[in-house]
Amino acid sequence: MTVPHQRMYDDDDPYLARLRPLALGFPSATEVETFGRPTFRARKMFAIYGGGTKGPAGTRRQYEHGLIVLPDGEEELAVLQEDPRAFVPAYYGPFGWVGIDLAAAAPEEADWQEVAELLDGSYRQVAGPRLVRRLDEDGGPAGRGGA
């Protein structure tokens, strides 16, 4: 028996409105609501919108406008050490996923090119050789300036 989860986002969220076309701009990308959050997939999940940190209630923090991605190992360390918006997401962090708080800037001021590049790296980790080849041939959101 599947337990339904409460929806934890609004369709009119301005960050999600900018993120969604970027994430769906990758070959065979789809959006699936999982545990009440939008997830983006190509074969496997490559991005999650929203999340938080793990820990006791007093130290746990929610990032309603967080983007959780799976960078390669070198990039993971760089993001966590150098980006003040970065966080280690609950449940996914031990598996190499990192979160970025998109709400650190207003939606119109966020660096959407950087977001497209983070999505690109995460997509390449899970999409498989055929889809990555297609991305390289056709281009993706990161190559289109994140627009």
Side-chain angles (χ1 to χ4, degrees):
M1 180 169 121
T2 304
V3 177
H5 285 82
Q6 176 183 352
R7 186 177 240 205
M8 301 175 76
Y9 67 98
D10 293 319
D11 278 323
D12 61 351
D13 178 324
Y15 295 94
L16 181 57
R18 297 288 297 266
L19 175 65
R20 187 175 270 141
L22 291 175
L24 294 175
F26 291 91
S28 297
T30 60
E31 181 177 343
V32 177
E33 187 173 304
T34 304
F35 299 114
R37 300 251 181 228
T39 65
F40 299 95
R41 302 161 184 255
R43 256 193 41 186
K44 296 180 183 178
M45 188 166 55
F46 69 92
I48 305 160
Y49 181 68
T53 60
K54 193 172 181 174
T59 60
R60 186 175 34 216
R61 180 157 178 215
Q62 290 299 311
Y63 293 93
E64 297 305 319
H65 307 289
L67 171 64
I68 301 172
V69 293
L70 181 62
D72 68 30
E74 292 176 15
E75 187 179 10
E76 173 193 1
L77 190 58
V79 169
L80 289 172
Q81 289 180 344
E82 298 172 15
D83 194 330
R85 303 165 303 158
F87 63 95
V88 176
Y91 309 109
Y92 300 100
F95 302 100
W97 293 74
V98 298
I100 297 291
D101 183 15
L102 298 178
E108 62 278 358
E109 295 171 1
D111 186 344
W112 293 103
Q113 176 61 36
E114 177 189 37
V115 170
E117 291 168 8
L118 289 167
L119 289 169
D120 186 276
S122 190
Y123 177 90
R124 289 173 184 280
Q125 295 293 316
V126 303
R130 181 181 60 80
L131 290 176
V132 170
R133 195 168 36 254
R134 210 168 116 201
L135 174 62
D136 289 339
E137 291 169 359
D138 299 343
R144 293 191 287 270

